[in-house]
PDB file of all heavy atoms in Angstrom:
ATOM      1  N   PRO A 257       7.790 -81.076 -16.526  1.00 98.00           N
ATOM      2  CA  PRO A 257       8.440 -82.113 -17.308  1.00 98.00           C
ATOM      3  C   PRO A 257       7.492 -83.216 -17.764  1.00 98.00           C
ATOM      4  O   PRO A 257       7.733 -83.825 -18.798  1.00 98.00           O
ATOM      5  CB  PRO A 257       9.583 -82.681 -16.420  1.00 98.00           C
ATOM      6  CG  PRO A 257       9.759 -81.676 -15.340  1.00 98.00           C
ATOM      7  CD  PRO A 257       8.461 -80.930 -15.208  1.00 98.00           C
ATOM      8  N   THR A 258       6.437 -83.370 -16.996  1.00 98.00           N
ATOM      9  CA  THR A 258       5.481 -84.382 -17.342  1.00 98.00           C
ATOM     10  C   THR A 258       4.898 -84.204 -18.792  1.00 98.00           C
ATOM     11  O   THR A 258       4.438 -85.137 -19.433  1.00 98.00           O
ATOM     12  CB  THR A 258       4.288 -84.405 -16.357  1.00 98.00           C
ATOM     13  OG1 THR A 258       4.845 -84.522 -15.007  1.00 98.00           O
ATOM     14  CG2 THR A 258       3.300 -85.454 -16.577  1.00 98.00           C
ATOM     15  N   PHE A 259       4.820 -82.921 -19.172  1.00 98.00           N
ATOM     16  CA  PHE A 259       4.178 -82.566 -20.472  1.00 98.00           C
ATOM     17  C   PHE A 259       5.065 -82.829 -21.700  1.00 98.00           C
ATOM     18  O   PHE A 259       4.598 -82.732 -22.818  1.00 98.00           O
ATOM     19  CB  PHE A 259       3.687 -81.182 -20.463  1.00 98.00           C
ATOM     20  CG  PHE A 259       2.699 -80.963 -19.351  1.00 98.00           C
ATOM     21  CD1 PHE A 259       2.772 -79.770 -18.554  1.00 98.00           C
ATOM     22  CD2 PHE A 259       1.595 -81.820 -19.055  1.00 98.00           C
ATOM     23  CE1 PHE A 259       1.858 -79.499 -17.596  1.00 98.00           C
ATOM     24  CE2 PHE A 259       0.708 -81.603 -18.062  1.00 98.00           C
ATOM     25  CZ  PHE A 259       0.758 -80.391 -17.358  1.00 98.00           C
ATOM     26  N   ALA A 260       6.363 -83.198 -21.487  1.00 98.00           N
ATOM     27  CA  ALA A 260       7.287 -83.388 -22.621  1.00 98.00           C
ATOM     28  C   ALA A 260       6.711 -84.501 -23.473  1.00 98.00           C
ATOM     29  O   ALA A 260       6.398 -85.588 -22.952  1.00 98.00           O
ATOM     30  CB  ALA A 260       8.668 -83.692 -22.121  1.00 98.00           C
ATOM     31  N   GLY A 261       6.638 -84.231 -24.760  1.00 98.00           N
ATOM     32  CA  GLY A 261       6.186 -85.268 -25.655  1.00 98.00           C
ATOM     33  C   GLY A 261       4.630 -85.469 -25.784  1.00 98.00           C
ATOM     34  O   GLY A 261       4.136 -86.241 -26.594  1.00 98.00           O
ATOM     35  N   MET A 262       3.914 -84.745 -24.935  1.00 98.00           N
ATOM     36  CA  MET A 262       2.487 -84.807 -24.914  1.00 98.00           C
ATOM     37  C   MET A 262       1.824 -83.789 -25.865  1.00 98.00           C
ATOM     38  O   MET A 262       2.367 -82.703 -25.978  1.00 98.00           O
ATOM     39  CB  MET A 262       1.930 -84.648 -23.512  1.00 98.00           C
ATOM     40  CG  MET A 262       2.163 -85.699 -22.509  1.00 98.00           C
ATOM     41  SD  MET A 262       1.626 -85.351 -20.864  1.00 98.00           S
ATOM     42  CE  MET A 262      -0.103 -85.580 -20.978  1.00 98.00           C
ATOM     43  N   THR A 263       0.765 -84.161 -26.529  1.00 98.00           N
ATOM     44  CA  THR A 263       0.068 -83.163 -27.349  1.00 98.00           C
ATOM     45  C   THR A 263      -0.682 -82.188 -26.442  1.00 98.00           C
ATOM     46  O   THR A 263      -0.820 -82.469 -25.218  1.00 98.00           O
ATOM     47  CB  THR A 263      -1.039 -83.823 -28.228  1.00 98.00           C
ATOM     48  OG1 THR A 263      -1.976 -84.413 -27.453  1.00 98.00           O
ATOM     49  CG2 THR A 263      -0.358 -84.945 -29.145  1.00 98.00           C
ATOM     50  N   ARG A 264      -1.092 -81.078 -27.030  1.00 97.00           N
ATOM     51  CA  ARG A 264      -1.867 -80.095 -26.235  1.00 97.00           C
ATOM     52  C   ARG A 264      -3.116 -80.737 -25.658  1.00 97.00           C
ATOM     53  O   ARG A 264      -3.474 -80.505 -24.446  1.00 97.00           O
ATOM     54  CB  ARG A 264      -2.231 -78.884 -27.104  1.00 97.00           C
ATOM     55  CG  ARG A 264      -2.941 -77.796 -26.419  1.00 97.00           C
ATOM     56  CD  ARG A 264      -3.188 -76.649 -27.400  1.00 97.00           C
ATOM     57  NE  ARG A 264      -3.949 -75.610 -26.685  1.00 97.00           N
ATOM     58  CZ  ARG A 264      -4.477 -74.607 -27.318  1.00 97.00           C
ATOM     59  NH1 ARG A 264      -4.358 -74.444 -28.593  1.00 97.00           N
ATOM     60  NH2 ARG A 264      -5.100 -73.685 -26.640  1.00 97.00           N
ATOM     61  N   VAL A 265      -3.795 -81.528 -26.459  1.00 98.00           N
ATOM     62  CA  VAL A 265      -5.112 -82.194 -26.008  1.00 98.00           C
ATOM     63  C   VAL A 265      -4.737 -83.117 -24.828  1.00 98.00           C
ATOM     64  O   VAL A 265      -5.517 -83.170 -23.807  1.00 98.00           O
ATOM     65  CB  VAL A 265      -5.738 -82.956 -27.136  1.00 98.00           C
ATOM     66  CG1 VAL A 265      -6.843 -83.749 -26.722  1.00 98.00           C
ATOM     67  CG2 VAL A 265      -6.213 -81.955 -28.155  1.00 98.00           C
ATOM     68  N   ALA A 266      -3.657 -83.920 -24.922  1.00 98.00           N
ATOM     69  CA  ALA A 266      -3.349 -84.839 -23.848  1.00 98.00           C
ATOM     70  C   ALA A 266      -2.962 -84.085 -22.556  1.00 98.00           C
ATOM     71  O   ALA A 266      -3.370 -84.533 -21.374  1.00 98.00           O
ATOM     72  CB  ALA A 266      -2.126 -85.694 -24.294  1.00 98.00           C
ATOM     73  N   ARG A 267      -2.273 -82.934 -22.711  1.00 98.00           N
ATOM     74  CA  ARG A 267      -2.009 -82.178 -21.518  1.00 98.00           C
ATOM     75  C   ARG A 267      -3.274 -81.695 -20.817  1.00 98.00           C
ATOM     76  O   ARG A 267      -3.419 -81.763 -19.599  1.00 98.00           O
ATOM     77  CB  ARG A 267      -1.163 -80.947 -21.878  1.00 98.00           C
ATOM     78  CG  ARG A 267       0.280 -81.352 -22.359  1.00 98.00           C
ATOM     79  CD  ARG A 267       0.985 -80.121 -22.891  1.00 98.00           C
ATOM     80  NE  ARG A 267       2.222 -80.571 -23.483  1.00 98.00           N
ATOM     81  CZ  ARG A 267       3.166 -79.712 -23.920  1.00 98.00           C
ATOM     82  NH1 ARG A 267       3.019 -78.424 -23.899  1.00 98.00           N
ATOM     83  NH2 ARG A 267       4.319 -80.218 -24.421  1.00 98.00           N
ATOM     84  N   HIS A 268      -4.195 -81.164 -21.603  1.00 98.00           N
ATOM     85  CA  HIS A 268      -5.493 -80.652 -21.106  1.00 98.00           C
ATOM     86  C   HIS A 268      -6.285 -81.829 -20.469  1.00 98.00           C
ATOM     87  O   HIS A 268      -6.814 -81.587 -19.373  1.00 98.00           O
ATOM     88  CB  HIS A 268      -6.276 -80.004 -22.211  1.00 98.00           C
ATOM     89  CG  HIS A 268      -5.815 -78.638 -22.551  1.00 98.00           C
ATOM     90  ND1 HIS A 268      -6.617 -77.601 -22.730  1.00 98.00           N
ATOM     91  CD2 HIS A 268      -4.496 -78.228 -22.833  1.00 98.00           C
ATOM     92  CE1 HIS A 268      -5.873 -76.482 -23.024  1.00 98.00           C
ATOM     93  NE2 HIS A 268      -4.660 -76.899 -23.096  1.00 98.00           N
ATOM     94  N   ARG A 269      -6.305 -82.935 -21.025  1.00 98.00           N
ATOM     95  CA  ARG A 269      -6.983 -84.105 -20.488  1.00 98.00           C
ATOM     96  C   ARG A 269      -6.420 -84.457 -19.103  1.00 98.00           C
ATOM     97  O   ARG A 269      -7.100 -84.749 -18.199  1.00 98.00           O
ATOM     98  CB  ARG A 269      -6.993 -85.251 -21.431  1.00 98.00           C
ATOM     99  CG  ARG A 269      -7.949 -85.116 -22.579  1.00 98.00           C
ATOM    100  CD  ARG A 269      -7.965 -86.313 -23.508  1.00 98.00           C
ATOM    101  NE  ARG A 269      -8.917 -86.125 -24.560  1.00 98.00           N
ATOM    102  CZ  ARG A 269      -8.766 -86.699 -25.734  1.00 98.00           C
ATOM    103  NH1 ARG A 269      -7.866 -87.502 -26.049  1.00 98.00           N
ATOM    104  NH2 ARG A 269      -9.686 -86.434 -26.697  1.00 98.00           N
ATOM    105  N   ALA A 270      -5.060 -84.548 -19.060  1.00 98.00           N
ATOM    106  CA  ALA A 270      -4.373 -84.891 -17.851  1.00 98.00           C
ATOM    107  C   ALA A 270      -4.679 -83.908 -16.766  1.00 98.00           C
ATOM    108  O   ALA A 270      -4.964 -84.351 -15.541  1.00 98.00           O
ATOM    109  CB  ALA A 270      -2.852 -85.024 -18.145  1.00 98.00           C
ATOM    110  N   ILE A 271      -4.695 -82.609 -17.027  1.00 98.00           N
ATOM    111  CA  ILE A 271      -4.997 -81.628 -16.025  1.00 98.00           C
ATOM    112  C   ILE A 271      -6.448 -81.741 -15.636  1.00 98.00           C
ATOM    113  O   ILE A 271      -6.733 -81.666 -14.417  1.00 98.00           O
ATOM    114  CB  ILE A 271      -4.585 -80.206 -16.564  1.00 98.00           C
ATOM    115  CG1 ILE A 271      -3.102 -80.109 -16.741  1.00 98.00           C
ATOM    116  CG2 ILE A 271      -5.175 -79.095 -15.684  1.00 98.00           C
ATOM    117  CD1 ILE A 271      -2.606 -78.864 -17.477  1.00 98.00           C
ATOM    118  N   ASN A 272      -7.372 -81.793 -16.583  1.00 98.00           N
ATOM    119  CA  ASN A 272      -8.797 -81.996 -16.213  1.00 98.00           C
ATOM    120  C   ASN A 272      -8.969 -83.236 -15.313  1.00 98.00           C
ATOM    121  O   ASN A 272      -9.733 -83.177 -14.386  1.00 98.00           O
ATOM    122  CB  ASN A 272      -9.646 -82.048 -17.453  1.00 98.00           C
ATOM    123  CG  ASN A 272      -9.896 -80.610 -18.064  1.00 98.00           C
ATOM    124  OD1 ASN A 272     -10.197 -79.768 -17.268  1.00 98.00           O
ATOM    125  ND2 ASN A 272      -9.723 -80.572 -19.283  1.00 98.00           N
ATOM    126  N   ASP A 273      -8.360 -84.286 -15.625  1.00 98.00           N
ATOM    127  CA  ASP A 273      -8.468 -85.523 -14.829  1.00 98.00           C
ATOM    128  C   ASP A 273      -7.940 -85.310 -13.416  1.00 98.00           C
ATOM    129  O   ASP A 273      -8.558 -85.733 -12.401  1.00 98.00           O
ATOM    130  CB  ASP A 273      -7.714 -86.717 -15.430  1.00 98.00           C
ATOM    131  CG  ASP A 273      -8.352 -87.241 -16.687  1.00 98.00           C
ATOM    132  OD1 ASP A 273      -9.560 -86.947 -16.929  1.00 98.00           O
ATOM    133  OD2 ASP A 273      -7.702 -87.960 -17.441  1.00 98.00           O
ATOM    134  N   ALA A 274      -6.811 -84.619 -13.307  1.00 98.00           N
ATOM    135  CA  ALA A 274      -6.245 -84.390 -11.978  1.00 98.00           C
ATOM    136  C   ALA A 274      -7.085 -83.438 -11.109  1.00 98.00           C
ATOM    137  O   ALA A 274      -7.113 -83.487  -9.902  1.00 98.00           O
ATOM    138  CB  ALA A 274      -4.813 -83.740 -12.111  1.00 98.00           C
ATOM    139  N   LEU A 275      -7.884 -82.543 -11.780  1.00 98.00           N
ATOM    140  CA  LEU A 275      -8.728 -81.542 -11.098  1.00 98.00           C
ATOM    141  C   LEU A 275     -10.135 -81.970 -10.960  1.00 98.00           C
ATOM    142  O   LEU A 275     -11.019 -81.218 -10.522  1.00 98.00           O
ATOM    143  CB  LEU A 275      -8.624 -80.257 -11.791  1.00 98.00           C
ATOM    144  CG  LEU A 275      -7.205 -79.532 -11.852  1.00 98.00           C
ATOM    145  CD1 LEU A 275      -7.286 -78.202 -12.528  1.00 98.00           C
ATOM    146  CD2 LEU A 275      -6.634 -79.411 -10.453  1.00 98.00           C
ATOM    147  N   LYS A 276     -10.391 -83.221 -11.153  1.00 97.00           N
ATOM    148  CA  LYS A 276     -11.810 -83.762 -11.025  1.00 97.00           C
ATOM    149  C   LYS A 276     -12.422 -83.393  -9.623  1.00 97.00           C
ATOM    150  O   LYS A 276     -13.572 -82.976  -9.517  1.00 97.00           O
ATOM    151  CB  LYS A 276     -11.885 -85.263 -11.247  1.00 97.00           C
ATOM    152  CG  LYS A 276     -13.322 -85.766 -11.177  1.00 97.00           C
ATOM    153  CD  LYS A 276     -13.486 -87.176 -11.490  1.00 97.00           C
ATOM    154  CE  LYS A 276     -14.864 -87.680 -11.463  1.00 97.00           C
ATOM    155  NZ  LYS A 276     -15.895 -87.079 -10.643  1.00 97.00           N
TER     156      LYS A 276
END
Side-chain angles (χ1 to χ4, degrees):
T258 306
F259 300 135
M262 292 175 75
T263 66
R264 182 176 177 193
V265 171
R267 293 172 185 187
H268 284 226
R269 285 182 180 152
I271 290 168
N272 280 314
D273 289 347
L275 296 182
K276 184 176 182 331

